[in-house]
Amino acid sequence: MLTSLLAAALPWQPTELVLERSKRQLRVIQNGRQIASYPVAVGRATNPTPLGTHRVHRLEKDPIWSSPWRKRQVTASATGPLGTRWIGFWYRCGKRSSTDRRPPRFEADNCREIGFHGTGKLSSIGQAATFGCVRLRNQDAISLFDLVKEGDIVRVVP
């Protein structure tokens, strides 16, 4: 009750994204209330989605996916590997990451990044199937993209 009163009194609070890895579920919280929930795919046991509290640091429409295994790029599409929306929330640049007390500056060409994105692999939703990223159905990724902004909180829990 007190949380609701405080939330109503404040002019703005960051949106909070709560990812429950074991449930393969993403909840969107605004002003203390859940406004959306999406089924997701999370990182495999060998490349788990990083636990902890993170911040959205990058939003991109129509992201181009660069294969880390082959020298090729794939343009954005609803059936492509990244869908049509990207929401970056974790990155590593060398030995330092976005969770450091003083994080390095994100540079797309020099950092590995993890985020939320759409996918054409709908059969992966509900599975631990990624290299750390969080896949959503493309229409859900678009909906989520419209709800968040840079600086919003991402909590990844077991």
Side-chain angles (χ1 to χ4, degrees), residues 5-112:
L5 291 173
L6 288 173
L10 297 172
W12 175 84
Q13 289 183 337
T15 295
E16 184 176 4
L17 307 178
V18 180
L19 173 63
E20 296 179 76
R21 284 193 329 194
S22 62
K23 292 183 180 179
R24 315 307 197 253
Q25 193 72 26
L26 175 65
R27 296 182 300 120
V28 181
I29 312 295
Q30 283 185 343
N31 296 317
R33 302 178 104 170
Q34 180 174 311
I35 63 164
S37 178
Y38 306 104
V40 298
V42 297
R44 301 173 182 160
T46 54
N47 292 91
T49 306
L51 294 171
T53 301
H54 312 280
R55 294 260 181 197
V56 171
H57 69 268
R58 189 165 75 92
L59 297 161
E60 186 176 349
K61 286 185 180 181
D62 299 323
I64 295 174
W65 181 71
S66 296
S67 171
W69 305 281
R70 298 185 189 111
K71 299 281 188 211
R72 71 180 181 105
Q73 293 187 326
V74 179
T75 58
S77 78
T79 59
L82 293 185
T84 62
R85 299 294 185 274
W86 174 264
I87 303 166
F89 67 86
W90 179 93
Y91 60 89
R92 177 176 298 286
C93 306
K95 294 184 179 188
R96 299 180 60 218
S97 81
S98 57
T99 57
D100 291 353
R101 182 177 296 234
R102 296 184 62 164
R105 192 172 67 110
F106 176 76
E107 296 176 1
D109 293 335
N110 299 317
C111 300
R112 177 176 182 255

Side-chain angles (χ1 to χ4, degrees), residues 17 26 28 38 87 116 136 140-148:
L17 307 178
L26 175 65
V28 181
Y38 306 104
I87 303 166
F116 301 99
L136 297 93
D140 292 345
I142 292 168
S143 172
L144 178 63
F145 189 91
D146 291 341
L147 294 173
V148 300

